Amino acid sequence: MFICEVYCNNIQVMKPTAFPSLRKVAEQLELTTHQIYDIYEGRTIKKYSSIMMPKISIVKSLVLN
């Protein structure tokens, strides 16, 4: 389970939402899975520096049965 939230200019444009996979996050945000993996792994910090770039936060949620 992954929790994703999106901010643009410090305005929350997507509330924390649970997704079963990173692929589902990519589908919802209309991004490629490679872009989502980069965001999840923190590899986008050096790639983009625009002040208009939305901040996408993806964290893995531990679900205990």
Side-chain angles (χ1 to χ4, degrees):
M1 188 71 59
F2 296 90
I3 307 297
C4 178
E5 63 183 324
V6 180
Y7 287 87
C8 188
N9 292 333
N10 296 322
I11 299 170
Q12 187 176 41
V13 294
M14 187 173 97
K15 294 181 180 180
T17 307
F19 292 93
S21 68
L22 291 174
R23 180 170 290 181
K24 293 295 183 186
V25 175
E27 290 172 3
Q28 177 68 31
L29 297 180
E30 296 181 1
L31 297 171
T32 66
T33 52
H34 292 287
Q35 289 171 311
I36 292 299
Y37 290 132
D38 282 345
I39 291 166
Y40 178 68
E41 295 292 332
R43 294 188 293 249
T44 59
I45 295 169
K46 296 177 184 175
K47 290 184 179 182
Y48 307 106
S49 62
S50 172
I51 60 171
M52 296 302 291
M53 182 73 177
K55 180 180 182 250
I56 301 170
S57 171
I58 303 170
V59 295
K60 187 165 186 161
S61 173
L62 298 175
V63 179
L64 302 175
N65 293 329

